[in-house]
Amino acid sequence: MEPGFLALAFGLLFIGGCSARVVTVSPGPLIRVEGQPVSIRCDVNDYGGPSEQDFDWEMSRDGNEPRSRIISTFESSFSDPSFSRRVASGDISVVRLQDNEAELKIGEVKLTDSGFYLCRTPSTDPTTSGNYDAQVQLRVIPNTLKVTPQTPPPVVQEGHDLTLSCSATRELTFPSLTYLSIAWLVKTSGGSEEILTFGPQGDVVTGPRFTRRYLDGDLRLVPGRNGAFELVISRVTASDEGTYACTGAEWTSESGGKWTKIVESSKEMGAVSVTPTNRSLNVKASSSPSSQSSTSLLLSPGNTLTLLCHVSADNLDVLSLEVTWLADDGEIITVNRSGVVNANSVSKRGEASLEKTGDSDYRLAVRGVSSRDGGVYTCRVQAFIEEGRVTGGGAGRWHMVAEKTSNPVTVKVSEIKPNFTLTLEAATKPQKTGEPIELSCDVTNISQLPPGGRLGVSWEYISLPDKVTNASPPKLIGSLDANGNLESNSAYKDRLDSGVLVLSRVQPNTFKLRFLRTQKIDMGQYVCTVSAWSVSSQGKMVNAAEYKSSPLTVLWDTKSPTVKVAAKTIRSVSVGGATFEMTCSAITENIGDWIGFAVQIQSQSGTEAIKPIMSLSPDNVVQVTDPSRRDSLVLAKTGAMEFNFRLEGVQPSDKGNYWCDVTAFTKQQPDQSWTTAATGNSNRITINFQENGPSFSVETRYDTSSVYPWETAKMECSVRVSGSSPKSGGTNSQTEELAYEVRWFFTRLRGEQSTSPVVSVDRFGVVTKSNRNSSSDVSIERKDANTYVLYIFGTQDSDSGEYHCMVTPWYKSTSSGLWTQDKDYTSGKVFLSVKIAVWDSLKLPLLYGASASLGVGVFSLLLGLICARCCCRNTAHTPRSRTKLMDLEMD
């Protein structure tokens, strides 16, 4: 590998030694205008020596005569007297752009500055090779550019054309080398924006906002004579306001086809404001040509309504109008820009027509008016201007520039209020609570109901006054509007949705209110209110008249529904593990035929909170509160009003009082929803028994309280049994009649209350691990009959903390032979500490770092030795000192 590396290094050094210096300047000839700034760049490449190079600038008039020294980046006294004053004033300067690039700058070039400019770089190479200078020709021409604009009109109406005239000329010093361009700009509050530029190659460039208008023909360039041009902006808008300027520029084409601007002149043409159409647009509505203001017009049914709309504007000749007549803000009829009339088919008004009677007059006529044609009439005018219309050709886009609405004209049509008579009576009266009631509201002697009119009804309830207070205000039950839509009060909404309460129209003039099942609160007075509805001028239904019936009192004999419940023991419990069974019987009074029951079994031990056990719905759906006891609980309906509850495998935790909560439900029809009728509670039955079983205690032990990371920690949970044996009374005969559920818990900090589960094993030996935020693993092992061991493999720092175990004993009852669950026993807490091995964690990184440092040092020594042996320099030529540079000829 080392010979290959040496060959590569030698090849790179050889290539670097064979490179030749290259000096380049800006391509020429350069044509510039007198008084304008000039910049000439010079750069050097492929050189030896220091990275920062120096540059000398010289100049000759024709390229042959002796050169005059202009300026140098190294010697401050380099300039000849003819240039020293301009260098001192800063008119001539040199700017270093990079280590190998500099730029000669002339602030205001003169005609006498024409000539050949030479850029020279003093040698810093070990050997002489390449070129050390380069020159370019500069031609300076006089500034003869003239821009002459014409002042535009100060005010232009929106939609009219704006013409901007401007000329740009110059003397033809070099006819084939310089070219002209002319541009128009507009200055607004948002800044200056280019409209259009013509030249220097005869091409047209538009600003971003004006490109579309130029393509659509709304922006045209009209050339004239002697450098004069006209820019025509067609159909101006408010966005065309601003101060316009004209800019002329002289250009030259340099090497490579690059166009360079050598002089520019800009002249302000003047400010132009655009009068918007909305300012001059005026719309007037009247009932006759002689009316000058808003009027109120009274008509009789069957007459013809005639209204006039007059439009005026300063730029009416360029506008296209769309005229719409409205009544109460609803459109009646419209004539669009093309003169096509469109009537609103949804409107319920009479037959309407609209015609144009003059250049700016529009007439509305409505024949055979009725009450629905009354309202406030206005004339709305929308003014449009066409954009993008190609001259002599196709249509463009229409743009709305203004919208105005006329003064209102109030139109009234005389009408007669409808009249009718109401009769409210009870078609069906209840005899007791729960029976149906039906009220009928009949409308008779109807007169003056307009065509298309309809009737609506609303029902109200007034409760009976008590001995202390007067009658309460009426309460809305529900209503049917003219379209048959039902609206209800929130107090009756549930009964309406369930179908217990029904509002209906059985005939066009008859309305009914029906309670399928009455309640005590339904006794009181009822009132029906019938309203007559007619079609408004907007085509909507409006209330034209309203009549209210006399109150109708509805009473019956009130007997509240009741339900009584009695609980009876079927099988009592004397020992743990036995079966408890009881029945609950219900007796109802004043409840209908369709009856259903919901039963809930509840229990309470001492002063503890009441605990629901299970429930049965009227549809015989059973729900259990504790899913783990689902297989030992039974609740079933054994008769029409009798229910059986059974609890198998009674535990000591089941001790307490048990009773039934029974709720009776009714419904009028089988497919309807259940309605609550009454609720009752049974007597309480007690479960209590004595169980002489063993007693237990739990403790936690460990071999060591601290371990190192990745070691295995071991902790024991030991159960001590005292008292009578589950089988024979001794303390050693427990192998097959005693089992435990063991759970280990972890606390991060000493004394912290919250704990996290670690691992558990049930009485059947099934192990369950909890999710832990640690990379270590845990397991639990039964060491003997009463000892369980917790192992933590690969301990980490996150395993430090307090540990304790919780044990739930299970034993066979001596009296019944059934398994019995005892209470939970909790051990004391032990603290496990995981130490941090500092040296073991740092020795490998330190060893790797030292080895890497030693390897890099050895490699650097070898590389330096190779470069010193293999890299040779040519000492025949000594580079010129930086303190005093000499000419290349002397070198």
Side-chain angles (χ1 to χ4, degrees):
M1 180 175 181
E2 293 183 356
F5 175 77
L6 293 176
L8 176 61
F10 181 77
L12 293 175
L13 292 173
F14 178 78
I15 293 174
C18 295
S19 61
R21 177 183 292 254
V22 178
V23 179
T24 57
V25 294
S26 302
L30 304 176
I31 300 177
R32 298 295 183 266
V33 176
E34 180 183 10
Q36 302 298 313
V38 175
S39 298
I40 304 176
R41 289 195 179 187
C42 179
D43 63 78
V44 57
N45 294 288
D46 300 332
Y47 56 87
S51 60
E52 183 177 292
Q53 295 290 295
D54 287 309
F55 298 85
D56 299 337
W57 286 93
E58 301 177 359
M59 178 261 192
S60 64
R61 304 295 180 187
D62 56 4
N64 296 322
E65 63 184 24
R67 298 185 180 90
S68 300
R69 294 188 297 179
I70 304 175
I71 195 170
S72 173
T73 60
F74 180 69
E75 297 185 48
S76 59
S77 59
F78 181 80
S79 305
D80 285 346
S82 59
F83 291 100
S84 59
R85 181 176 298 177
R86 297 176 66 183
V87 171
S89 65
D91 183 46
I92 297 179
S93 62
V94 63
V95 178
R96 181 181 296 278
L97 304 179
Q98 298 180 24
D99 290 344
N100 66 330
E101 185 176 5
E103 186 176 56
L104 175 66
K105 288 181 171 291
I106 302 177
E108 294 183 2
V109 70
K110 302 178 180 180
L111 293 175
T112 57
D113 291 333
S114 297
F116 294 84
Y117 286 76
L118 178 72
C119 173
R120 175 175 297 164
T121 60
S123 173
T124 59
D125 302 327
T127 58
T128 303
S129 63
N131 68 307
Y132 289 79
D133 57 35
Q135 72 175 5
V136 62
Q137 182 182 6
L138 174 65
R139 295 180 182 178
V140 182
I141 62 175
N143 187 0
T144 60
L145 178 64
K146 292 183 180 180
V147 177
T148 307
Q150 293 184 10
T151 304
V155 179
V156 180
Q157 294 291 333
E158 185 177 17
H160 287 177
D161 294 350
L162 173 63
T163 301
L164 303 173
S165 299
C166 183
S167 64
T169 59
R170 57 90 168 82
E171 295 181 4
L172 300 178
T173 306
F174 294 95
S176 60
L177 297 181
T178 62
Y179 302 86
L180 291 180
S181 69
I182 187 170
W184 285 266
L185 300 92
V186 60
K187 300 176 182 178
T188 61
S189 58
S192 180
E193 185 176 7
E194 180 183 350
I195 302 175
L196 182 142
T197 301
F198 176 69
Q201 289 184 291
D203 53 338
V204 174
V205 179
T206 58
R209 188 165 65 92
F210 295 89
T211 301
R212 182 62 182 270
R213 297 178 69 177
Y214 178 77
L215 296 175
D216 291 341
D218 286 342
L219 194 66
R220 306 192 310 275
L221 180 65
V222 181
R225 296 182 179 180
N226 300 325
F229 293 88
E230 289 184 353
L231 180 65
V232 180
I233 304 177
S234 301
R235 292 174 283 277
V236 297
T237 63
S239 61
D240 295 323
E241 281 190 343
T243 301
Y244 288 84
C246 176
T247 299
E250 192 170 359
W251 300 72
T252 182
S253 178
E254 296 183 349
S255 176
K258 176 184 176 182
W259 285 93
T260 302
K261 185 191 298 183
I262 57 178
V263 68
E264 183 180 75
S265 177
S266 182
K267 295 294 181 67
E268 186 174 297
M269 304 179 70
V272 176
S273 64
V274 178
T275 302
T277 303
N278 193 55
R279 187 179 302 174
S280 63
L281 181 64
N282 186 33
V283 182
K284 184 182 72 173
S286 62
S287 58
S288 63
S290 60
S291 299
Q292 298 297 325
S293 60
S294 301
T295 60
S296 179
L297 187 61
L298 180 62
L299 300 175
S300 299
N303 291 350
T304 299
L305 170 64
T306 302
L307 296 176
L308 300 178
C309 181
H310 177 74
V311 184
S312 61
D314 294 342
N315 58 340
L316 195 61
D317 56 328
V318 298
L319 299 179
S320 182
L321 303 179
E322 183 171 292
V323 180
T324 302
W325 276 99
L326 302 95
D328 295 335
D329 296 330
E331 296 184 1
I332 303 174
I333 193 169
T334 301
V335 56
N336 62 17
R337 299 186 305 270
S338 303
V340 179
V341 178
N342 296 313
N344 185 5
S345 59
V346 182
S347 176
K348 302 299 182 181
R349 298 179 178 272
E351 181 182 355
S353 63
L354 179 61
E355 60 178 338
K356 186 176 182 181
T357 59
D359 293 338
S360 57
D361 294 320
Y362 298 83
R363 182 174 62 191
L364 169 69
V366 180
R367 300 172 181 82
V369 298
S370 62
S371 59
R372 73 181 68 177
D373 295 311
V376 179
Y377 284 73
T378 54
C379 176
R380 184 184 66 199
V381 175
Q382 294 176 332
F384 293 83
I385 292 179
E386 187 178 12
E387 295 180 352
R389 183 178 58 196
V390 181
T391 304
R397 302 181 310 276
W398 288 99
H399 171 64
M400 189 176 72
V401 295
E403 179 178 328
K404 282 287 183 71
T405 302
S406 70
N407 54 289
V409 177
T410 303
V411 177
K412 297 181 180 180
V413 180
S414 60
E415 58 181 351
I416 301 175
K417 187 177 181 180
N419 188 25
F420 46 82
T421 303
L422 295 182
T423 302
L424 177 61
E425 58 184 2
T428 302
K429 287 186 177 183
Q431 301 300 321
K432 62 181 180 177
T433 303
E435 293 184 353
I437 180 176
E438 182 177 297
L439 304 181
S440 177
C441 184
D442 298 322
V443 183
T444 58
N445 302 325
I446 301 175
S447 62
Q448 305 301 331
L449 185 66
R454 299 178 184 177
L455 298 178
V457 68
S458 63
W459 292 91
E460 293 179 336
Y461 165 76
I462 305 173
S463 61
L464 295 174
D466 53 26
K467 298 179 180 179
V468 180
T469 61
N470 296 326
S472 61
K475 182 188 299 183
L476 177 66
I477 300 174
S479 63
L480 293 172
D481 63 11
N483 296 318
N485 299 319
L486 174 63
E487 297 181 3
S488 63
N489 183 276
S490 58
Y492 292 89
K493 187 176 188 312
D494 293 340
R495 300 174 72 180
L496 281 166
D497 293 341
S498 63
V500 177
L501 175 60
V502 179
L503 277 70
S504 62
R505 184 205 303 264
V506 295
Q507 293 180 5
N509 302 334
T510 302
F511 302 92
K512 287 194 175 184
L513 172 67
R514 179 178 176 83
F515 290 87
L516 299 182
R517 183 183 179 279
T518 56
Q519 301 177 9
K520 184 177 179 180
I521 59 174
D522 295 329
M523 290 193 301
Q525 293 182 334
Y526 291 84
V527 176
C528 72
T529 302
V530 177
S531 55
W533 297 75
S534 62
V535 183
S536 69
S537 58
Q538 295 177 318
K540 299 179 180 179
M541 300 300 293
V542 295
N543 193 339
E546 191 173 82
Y547 295 91
K548 182 176 294 187
S549 71
S550 300
L552 176 63
T553 303
V554 178
L555 297 173
W556 62 85
D557 185 16
T558 59
K559 292 182 180 180
S560 301
T562 59
V563 59
K564 298 178 181 180
V565 186
K568 183 175 63 174
T569 302
I570 303 300
R571 282 193 284 180
S572 61
V573 175
S574 59
V575 295
T579 299
F580 169 75
E581 187 175 358
M582 73 175 186
T583 61
C584 294
S585 301
I587 301 175
T588 62
E589 294 180 357
N590 301 321
I591 299 180
D593 298 333
W594 294 91
I595 305 177
F597 295 94
V599 181
Q600 186 177 42
I601 306 298
Q602 295 184 328
S603 70
Q604 185 180 25
S605 177
T607 59
E608 295 181 359
I610 296 176
K611 180 174 63 175
I613 304 299
M614 64 188 309
S615 63
L616 179 68
S617 72
D619 298 318
N620 296 323
V621 178
V622 178
Q623 290 185 344
V624 180
T625 305
D626 186 2
S628 64
R629 305 287 304 269
R630 184 185 302 274
D631 295 336
S632 60
L633 294 172
V634 177
L635 178 59
K637 185 176 183 180
T638 57
M641 298 183 184
E642 187 175 271
F643 303 90
N644 180 272
F645 169 67
R646 185 168 66 250
L647 172 59
E648 298 176 354
V650 176
Q651 305 295 334
S653 59
D654 295 327
K655 295 179 180 180
N657 297 321
Y658 288 75
W659 69 92
C660 300
D661 280 349
V662 178
T663 302
F665 293 84
T666 63
K667 54 183 174 180
Q668 299 294 329
Q669 299 295 333
D671 57 347
Q672 294 178 351
S673 302
W674 290 105
T675 303
T676 303
T679 301
N681 299 328
S682 73
N683 54 300
R684 300 193 176 195
I685 297 178
T686 303
I687 296 179
N688 191 14
F689 58 91
Q690 297 295 329
E691 186 73 27
N692 297 322
S695 61
F696 303 89
S697 63
V698 183
E699 65 175 349
T700 304
R701 301 190 300 267
Y702 52 43
D703 295 338
T704 177
S705 62
S706 62
V707 295
Y708 286 101
W710 301 107
E711 291 185 350
T712 300
K714 174 182 175 184
M715 286 170 279
E716 294 183 355
C717 181
S718 177
V719 184
R720 292 184 179 181
V721 185
S722 61
S724 61
S725 169
K727 184 174 182 180
S728 61
T731 58
N732 297 324
S733 180
Q734 306 166 358
T735 54
E736 296 182 358
E737 298 181 357
L738 184 62
Y740 303 102
E741 291 181 2
V742 181
R743 298 179 295 279
W744 281 92
F745 296 91
F746 167 73
T747 303
R748 180 63 177 170
L749 302 175
R750 290 183 184 271
E752 187 177 356
Q753 298 299 324
S754 61
T755 61
S756 302
V758 179
V759 65
S760 64
V761 57
D762 62 13
R763 63 191 179 105
F764 303 107
V766 179
V767 178
T768 303
K769 296 181 181 180
S770 302
N771 294 327
R772 305 170 61 246
N773 295 325
S774 176
S775 59
S776 60
D777 193 13
V778 296
S779 69
I780 189 170
E781 176 185 346
R782 185 173 183 179
K783 184 177 179 181
D784 54 37
N786 299 325
T787 305
Y788 291 82
V789 183
L790 170 66
Y791 293 96
I792 305 178
F793 303 99
T795 56
Q796 301 294 326
D797 179 62
S798 59
D799 295 320
S800 297
E802 290 184 332
Y803 291 82
H804 71 277
C805 65
M806 180 181 293
V807 178
T808 304
W810 287 78
Y811 59 90
K812 281 189 177 182
S813 174
T814 57
S815 56
S816 65
L818 300 176
W819 282 97
T820 302
Q821 179 184 359
D822 204 344
K823 66 179 181 179
D824 295 332
Y825 296 87
T826 304
S827 71
K829 296 183 179 181
V830 296
F831 191 85
L832 176 65
S833 175
V834 180
K835 300 180 180 179
I836 300 177
V838 179
W839 170 245
D840 291 341
S841 61
L842 294 179
K843 61 184 180 180
L844 288 180
L846 291 176
L847 179 61
Y848 293 155
S851 301
S853 301
L854 181 61
V856 172
V858 172
F859 177 76
S860 300
L861 290 175
L862 291 176
L863 182 62
L865 181 62
I866 292 171
C867 293
R869 294 281 185 178
C870 299
C871 299
C872 299
R873 299 188 59 184
N874 185 0
T875 58
H877 172 75
T878 301
R880 184 169 49 178
S881 172
R882 298 287 290 174
T883 60
K884 182 65 177 179
L885 296 178
M886 302 174 63
D887 290 342
L888 184 62
E889 292 82 356
M890 296 179 68
D891 286 344

